[in-house]
Amino acid sequence: VAQMTDETRKRPLVAIDGPAGAGKGAVSALLAERFGFTLIETGAIYRAVALVAMREGLAPTDERVIADRARRLAIAFRWEGRQNRVSIAGEDVTVALRDEKVGKAASRVAALPTVRRALLEIQRRLGRAGGAIAEGRDIGTVVFPDADVKFYLTADERERARRRMLQLRESNVVADEEEILATIQARDRADRERAVAPLKVAPGAIVVDSTAMTLEDVVEAMAREISRQSNRTESAAAPED
Ligand code: DC
């Protein structure tokens, strides 16, 4: 697959990777809103494939069938009421995608190389022009190795379990912290140990440990880095205008 260069980008492309529950979702949304960038939630793309596979009764081990379905996935992102809404073939699936069962199934389909290849093209098309925040597990390592700014956002697993629980409670889902911790540990293991595009710190990525930081502090620290890089990207692009 051809590597992309950033010579046509006037606004930066930001890559954010990290484990489940580190705050990538909330941080990415706030950063996208602040800079007026597109938000590419790549986890939602994997979740959407998992949801469709579950609904259509596709065997989670049938790689070819799931990859075919992934290629035909009519997924769309749209901002509404300060939220990034996700739809598949016109149906709003934002809430359905958050289900832990769907997350677990997403981790499974995400381990299939052919599925990853099918989704790679979709992700690159969305981020190519820059002015975007792309968040996931392999953005800085595989999808956009030439991103202008790369972050690896992490937090202690117990803290991540606590945050996920509060988040679920907010949507009126009763959740047990120990159970969530076990789910997070299992998902981390699956995401880090898979053969294709495992979760790891990309070369050149800035590691942000959010365990003892507030959401605001994390956003401020990351926004400063993006602004610094924005100035550089703009002055580099200017002579060509
Ligand atoms: O971030 P999330 O929990 O919505 O992601 C769901 C699953 O998708 C996660 O277990 C790993 C997988 N994923 C991936 O493999 N690569 C990405 N770029 C994003 C998500």
Side-chain angles (χ1 to χ4, degrees), residues 16-182:
I16 305 178
D17 291 306
K24 275 180 300 164
V27 167
S28 304
L30 290 169
L31 289 172
E33 199 173 42
R34 173 177 311 199
F35 289 95
F37 287 1
T38 310
L39 174 57
I40 309 167
E41 269 180 281
T42 63
I45 304 176
Y46 286 92
R47 284 171 183 262
V49 173
L51 180 69
V52 167
M54 284 161 77
R55 281 181 175 177
E56 297 178 7
L58 309 179
T61 47
D62 198 337
E63 182 166 358
R64 203 182 51 80
V65 170
I66 296 179
D68 271 352
R69 192 62 191 80
R71 248 173 249 117
R72 291 183 287 110
L73 191 75
I75 190 163
F77 292 98
R78 159 178 71 88
W79 276 102
E80 193 189 282
R82 306 194 64 191
Q83 263 200 79
N84 208 27
R85 313 281 318 179
V86 193
S87 64
I88 308 171
E91 179 197 345
D92 191 320
V93 289
T94 314
V95 175
L97 293 187
R98 287 197 200 118
D99 193 315
E100 282 299 328
K101 257 189 255 132
V102 176
K104 222 168 126 200
S107 197
R108 233 179 300 131
V109 304
L112 306 173
T114 326
V115 173
R116 300 201 72 87
R117 217 169 303 131
L119 298 184
L120 190 59
E121 295 314 312
I122 297 177
Q123 297 171 72
R124 286 193 172 154
R125 209 182 316 124
L126 292 168
R128 196 161 39 204
I133 309 268
E135 61 102 342
R137 302 293 193 288
D138 62 342
I139 308 305
T141 49
V142 176
V143 182
F144 296 116
D146 69 332
D148 300 291
V149 196
K150 296 181 193 175
F151 293 104
Y152 186 87
L153 182 60
T154 187
D156 202 80
E157 63 182 22
R158 197 151 269 287
E159 176 60 18
R160 289 191 279 126
R162 200 184 61 87
R163 291 179 191 167
R164 186 51 54 106
M165 186 189 62
L166 294 176
Q167 199 180 36
L168 288 171
R169 272 202 197 144
E170 231 164 76
S171 346
N172 291 317
V173 179
V174 186
D176 174 67
E177 194 171 330
E178 290 306 314
E179 218 171 275
I180 295 173
L181 180 62

